[in-house]
Amino acid sequence: DIQMTQSPSSVSASVGDRVTITCRASQGISSWLAWYQQKPGKAPKLLIYAASSLQSGVPSRFSGSGSGTDFTLTISSLQPEDFATYYCQQANSFPPTFGQGTKLEIK
Amino acid sequence: EVQLVQSGAEVKKPGESLKISCKGSGYSFTSYWIGWVRQMPGKGLEWMGIIYPGDSDTRYSPSFQGQVTISADKSISTAYLQWSSLKASDTAMYYCARTYCSSTSCRYGMDVWGQGTTVTVSS
């Protein structure tokens, strides 16, 4: 299985800040990476697919980049509703493994 | 509205069997795969497996192969996840989600999720 490693595991930030979360794959996955947001007690929500394609309805302050083994999720200006846990998922091969998650907390 | 609606919370004893469900609506149920994802208490997401309701083609993560069975009834747009003998370690939230896959990968993520089914296994 491909291992996905996210960093940091948690981050504190303030409303209006720019935040970047990193995801690294144990082997190359081209651009086949998805990002999800999960709030407490809720199902995950797809934000980004194919590394940089914004899912319909997701605010444009979210963006993704990267290819090969290194990827980033950037939130350009944090809003109160963005405080949540974020997961990456490789979509290159079975099984589509998730990263361990990054918890974004209010500073 | 495209949605997946899962069956309600379950409380079971070790060794019991269980089948939970995920009903799709608002889209062509046989045109997309349905995946199952486990989230143990306080932990991250684990991909369990997928099924294509159109022909019941099924893929499992090696971690879950032989531990669970995924099935579907396309006549009622419903996918299932079942256990023949539950363990305490099966206690978790289980999500179903819609995805689009080829024979080798599911490249566009999981775009529609059910609300989750909590399974508690305790003696």
Side-chain angles (χ1 to χ4, degrees):
Chain A
D1 297 2
I2 297 175
Q3 306 304 314
M4 306 301 294
T5 304
Q6 292 182 229
S7 60
S9 294
S10 65
V11 58
S12 296
S14 301
V15 173
D17 284 353
R18 179 184 181 90
V19 170
T20 297
I21 297 168
T22 297
C23 180
R24 175 164 288 174
S26 61
Q27 61 190 77
I29 57 171
S30 186
S31 295
W32 301 117
L33 185 98
W35 288 99
Y36 300 86
Q37 175 194 68
Q38 187 180 32
K39 297 181 180 179
K42 298 294 187 182
K45 173 186 175 183
L46 178 65
L47 299 176
I48 302 277
Y49 62 92
S52 60
S53 295
L54 198 65
Q55 175 69 0
S56 176
V58 174
S60 58
R61 63 181 179 272
F62 291 92
S63 63
S65 65
S67 66
T69 60
D70 295 314
F71 300 86
T72 59
L73 173 71
T74 299
I75 310 172
S76 61
S77 178
L78 275 172
Q79 299 301 300
E81 60 268 29
D82 299 336
F83 292 95
T85 299
Y86 293 84
Y87 294 92
C88 63
Q89 182 195 32
Q90 67 86 10
N92 186 66
S93 60
F94 289 127
T97 40
F98 290 94
Q100 82 279 13
T102 294
K103 187 173 184 178
L104 176 52
E105 299 175 299
I106 301 173
K107 185 183 286 184
Chain B
E1 179 192 6
V2 175
Q3 60 179 351
L4 296 172
V5 178
Q6 298 184 229
S7 50
E10 301 276 359
V11 180
K12 292 288 191 179
K13 290 181 167 42
E16 292 186 332
S17 63
L18 176 63
K19 191 173 189 178
I20 63 175
S21 67
C22 169
K23 183 174 176 62
S25 62
Y27 74 100
S28 174
F29 190 70
T30 54
S31 296
Y32 291 83
W33 295 68
I34 293 290
W36 288 93
V37 174
R38 183 175 78 175
Q39 189 167 39
M40 299 178 77
K43 301 299 184 183
L45 304 173
E46 299 174 90
W47 189 91
M48 301 175 71
I50 50 171
I51 188 165
Y52 187 67
D55 62 5
S56 291
D57 187 8
T58 309
R59 312 289 169 88
Y60 293 93
S61 165
S63 299
F64 291 93
Q65 179 86 47
Q67 308 305 306
V68 297
T69 301
I70 295 171
S71 61
D73 184 343
K74 63 183 179 182
S75 70
I76 55 171
S77 301
T78 300
Y80 302 96
L81 177 66
Q82 69 180 86
W83 295 259
S84 59
S85 181
L86 287 160
K87 310 181 199 58
S89 58
D90 293 318
T91 295
M93 177 72 82
Y94 293 88
Y95 294 103
C96 65
R98 188 180 80 166
T99 187
Y100 186 81
C101 304
S102 67
S103 60
T104 58
S105 61
C106 301
R107 291 190 161 172
Y108 301 100
M110 307 177 97
D111 68 340
V112 179
W113 291 68
Q115 81 278 18
T117 296
T118 300
V119 173
T120 303
V121 184
S122 174
S123 55

